[in-house]
Amino acid sequence: MSHLTDLPPWAALLVCGLMLVGAATTLIGSLGLLRLPDFYARLHAPTIATSGGTILLCLASILCFAVLQSRWVFHEVLIIFFVTVTTPVTLMLLGQATLYRDRFEEQQGVPRKQKPAPGEE
Amino acid sequence: MTRPASVLAGPKSRPPIHSQGDKTIEYAEKLLSVFILVPFAGSLIAIFFPSDQRGAISWFAGAIALVCFLVTAGLYPYVASGGVLHYRIDWVPELGLNFTLRMDGFAWLFSALITAIGVLVALYARYYMAEEDPVPRFFALFLAFMGSMLGVVLSGNLILLAVFWELTSIVSFLLIGYWHHNAHARDGARMALTITGTGGLAMFVGLIIIGKIVGSYELDAVLASGDAIRNHPLYGTVLVLVLLGALTKSAQFPFHFWLPHAMAAPTPVSAYLHSATMVKAGVFLLVRFWPVMAGTEAWFWIVGLAGLTTLLLGAYFAIFQQDLKGLLAYSTISHLGLITVLLSLGSPLAAVAAVFHIVNHATFKASLFMAAGIIDHESGTRDIRRLGGLFHFMPITATLAMVASAAMAGVPLLNGFLSKEMFFAEAIETHLVNPLDTVTPYVATIAGMFAVTYSLRFIHGVFFGRPPADLPRKPHEPPRWMRAPLDFLVLACLVVGIIPAQTIGPFLHTAVLSVLREGTPDYSLSVWHGWNIPLIMSFVALSGGIGLYFLMRSYLATAVEGPPVFRLLQGQRIFERVLVTLSWKWARWLEQRLGTRRLQPQMRLLVFLALAAGASPLLLGNFELPPLVIRGIDPAFALLWAIGIACAIGSAYQAKFHRLASLVLLGGAGLVTCITFVWLSAPDLAVTQLLVEIVTTVLILLGLRWLPKRIEEPVAAEDISIRVRLRRLRDLLLAIGAGGGMMLIAYTVMTRPLPETIASYFLERAYREGGGTNVVNVILVDFRGFDTLGEIAVLCIVALTVFALLLRFRPQSDSLEAPEQQKVQNAFDDDHPDRAAGDSVAEYLFIPAVIMRWMFPVTGMLAAFLFLRGHDLPGGGFAAGIAMSIGFILQYMSGGTRWVEERLRIHPLRWMSIGLLVATATGVGSWFFGYPFLTSHAQYASLPVVGKFPLASAILFDLGVFSLVLGATVLILIALAHQSVRAPRAHAKAARSDKEAVR
């Protein structure tokens, strides 16, 4: 493996840009988790962090190591795939659980459950 | 790995056959392993016989015994005139643990006895066992016993001897309890095991001390250092311990009472174990160690007193037995006492007589037991009071039994007479001037008289007198082949009795020569020695015994079981009283004092003991704390640890009322640990830690549901009593102490400069010898593969234990009900006719569940990836196994137990056993290539697409690890999952029955 200094300038610039934007996106997502007013809104913030931030960071990684070793790197593709597929599951579970509880406790401002359309089941 | 034959044999014991070349000797020595391998292998095979094949299996067992007998016979030339055969496999030579078999003349005589009587008993048992008895179990145990008994007599290593010794006790236990539906059999079996097992344990300690005195556990070395043992300050201890083993096994007073109770065993077992072979193991041991331990005052007193008491009491008790087998059992005890007395005397001639009597007793007592079995089998009872006049119904059996019991009584022209004459002759000799020696001849004569009485009672009470009227069955002669063993043994009694010098003479001489070596005395085996005192004593005993019988006949015909007066003092009662006191009263008392059913005190005790054990060596051995150095702190790392510490403390703080929060915080602390590993460049640990963290969190989460609810009662701070405060303070201090101690240890270890470690060794050789660049994995599966094998075995045991505990787990009544949410959902589903139960939750979980299901193959791929790269890069079987189990956990979470088990084959027990087998088989496999256990072979293989990957034979071992870890995790998972399925069902059932009761 070659050293990082072997990276050509154009690639270095690109990698840096991707990294910075990715990190910023993640930071914004985290801030959102902290700042947004209610639970449902807060659920969306980490999604930005994971989907956006992770993809950008992984792209940076792919670019960097592809140029350095002059071959394509697939690990990051898998990572992107897994993270984008699995994070929503967690958030969906959390969201559904909250929705269920709020409906059960008949909280204000919670969407009512629609009647399942006939033939849908 | 057998050693050259002539190394140990020594110039003196070199047999003449040596001139034929060492080749035959080597061959003969290899044959010794047959004695162990064949019976045990046969035992394994016998289990798999169908139970209705009585004939086939007894032929099989008989054939195995016959093979062993023929091998014994074939080896005779090698041991005749003092030769010794050795067969040795080094096991842990550094500790003196070797698998050494050693056959000398005495061991040969015993082997011949064991195998020959084994053949006869197998034949006899074929007719004795009933249709409905589980015969395969009987013959499997029979063969296992033969193997262990041969092991006892052929052991050339003290430790091996102790192992086989205990094996005979265990097999004997199983054989006595063969009819385990019978309470007598169970009690008798337990008693025999307790007594002989305890004795065996004592003997084991004694043997270890002998080994320490001599400096070797090899029997040859021990036999050569008699003086060292006798003059050692620990001689007394050794003597008592070894004698405890020998005397309990040979049912000597005061441990004699187990033998009559062992008569609940099937008669072939009594004939084989409890007359001819196993009870002889005790006297075998006495003879074995006779050259190195006998001849001292202590030996004379302990052995002599036990022997004389047993001889007299056994014979006396035998007269009053109403059960045929009981009579024979007490007679056996008495005869074993006779042998013990002979061995106590310390004279070589007495030792000759002892060995001779061992053989004689085995022949006539085995045949008498078989006769008793025939009588029981054909007439339906063994009660002497009910029997009588059987001579008319079974004349041949009666004649045979009469000859055998005449041998037991010591009638001239039979083998029992010869050894008894020798005994009498020895009894009148003066060996040491003390009162015990003076009374010996009188006791001997009286015991001889009793022997005549009970033998006469056996003959007269059973075969003569009025024919019985109310027998359960009409008696008749047994089948021809059932009687054949009896014919043979009685013939042996006669032949040996009439022409001893030509028949048993040479074999006896070989046996005696191997025990006494240079000290072998001149003795004569002729029937007629002229008119001398022993002969007069014999006549006194004969006539006195006959007189005594006719005096007591009318009393005996109606008396209850057992001798007068002594009847009240029953060994069994005392034994049970002691057992109850020990194992119930005292144990209960201790449990009440020390035990608790609550978890918290147990944990407190455990932590406290661990703390004390860890701290004491440090405090005692002036331990110096390394100076506290703070330098080069990385702020990011410090922040990470601050988070970890906060998580850990928060977890402890929340543990009481908010278990879920506590668990989440615990997971946070685990993640910090994981990141620490990455930070410190330990990717292997990080991967494993992460996976383990996930799995444990999920499993504990599943378990949380079943913990009893905690009622949170708001208690004002001032209401808490001072006791509670003190208790909390103590627990806090204990926790801080334990945690701080761990921290100190870690700190000390990490701040010390590393000594010359083996790390560099492993780093250097991991690739060259293990064929992997991931040193951690190479160490686990190759260099320290044996440790890993042990560890996964432990993991297997732990998983099974958790499974067993959860299987019997009955939750608290307050957590038994379904959770509120589930009830509400189910009620909603029930109220709507177009919905099935569980629809609500399925709707809510629909999308996540689908994605989680899709993750299963992906997780599988991840596991395969971790597994395959394990040898060179972080990963390996352990990590892969846990990763795969996460896949299963996801399935259970998304689909529910029933859904998963309808679709996937979940057999965690099978996976675990396959894993253990594969791992072990890989290790064993290297034997076939001539390498030591678990030697690894490495090379690279390539697959299309995947590319080149390392394929060491260690990968198979790793596969075993993978399978076992997967099985263990999934086993615990399904134990919890099934609890959720089972509990609501049980609860619903209980509710329903309550409702019905109300109606």
Side-chain angles (χ1 to χ4, degrees), chain B residues 529-542:
Chain B
H529 284 109
W531 289 101
N532 52 14
I533 306 179
L535 195 64
I536 295 168
M537 284 162 78
S538 278
F539 274 113
V540 170
L542 260 178

Side-chain angles (χ1 to χ4, degrees), chain B residues 233-449:
Chain B
L234 280 176
Y235 171 73
T237 321
V238 171
L239 183 68
V240 170
L241 289 172
V242 171
L243 285 182
L244 267 178
L247 297 184
T248 49
K249 198 78 162 183
S250 276
Q252 295 297 292
F253 182 84
F255 311 110
H256 61 283
F257 53 88
W258 70 265
L259 189 57
H261 291 281
M263 291 300 136
T267 303
V269 173
S270 311
Y272 192 37
L273 273 69
H274 304 125
S275 73
T277 56
M278 191 188 79
V279 289
K280 297 276 166 48
V283 285
F284 168 83
L285 195 75
L286 292 184
V287 177
R288 246 300 158 248
F289 288 121
W290 194 87
V292 291
M293 294 179 82
T296 60
E297 189 96 348
W299 169 280
F300 180 80
W301 271 101
I302 302 176
V303 182
L305 210 56
L308 268 187
T309 321
T310 317
L311 168 67
L312 192 64
L313 282 185
Y316 178 68
F317 288 179
I319 299 175
F320 297 96
Q321 297 301 310
Q322 302 294 6
D323 177 11
L324 270 185
K325 279 176 81 177
L327 186 152
L328 292 177
Y330 276 106
S331 145
T332 304
I333 293 174
S334 161
H335 278 275
L336 290 167
L338 189 156
I339 299 168
T340 311
V341 174
L342 277 170
L343 291 169
S344 78
L345 297 176
S347 90
L349 265 177
V352 176
V355 176
F356 191 25
H357 198 69
I358 288 174
V359 181
N360 291 338
H361 177 254
T363 40
F364 65 69
K365 193 50 69 66
S367 59
L368 279 173
F369 266 111
M370 290 179 183
I374 290 176
I375 292 164
D376 183 18
H377 203 255
E378 306 303 340
S379 68
T381 178
R382 298 196 312 240
D383 191 328
I384 305 182
R385 284 165 299 190
R386 295 178 66 188
L387 291 164
L390 288 187
F391 191 81
H392 298 288
F393 301 102
M394 39 174 87
I396 304 174
T397 309
T399 316
L400 293 172
M402 284 193 298
V403 174
S405 51
M408 174 165 79
V411 173
L413 289 183
L414 293 164
N415 60 356
F417 171 74
L418 295 171
S419 42
K420 196 145 88 172
E421 285 289 281
M422 288 165 92
F423 170 53
F424 283 163
E426 278 305 306
I428 50 179
E429 292 281 328
T430 305
H431 301 281
L432 291 169
V433 186
N434 62 29
L436 194 62
D437 198 60
T438 320
V439 299
T440 307
Y442 303 102
V443 174
T445 318
I446 296 171
M449 208 162 85

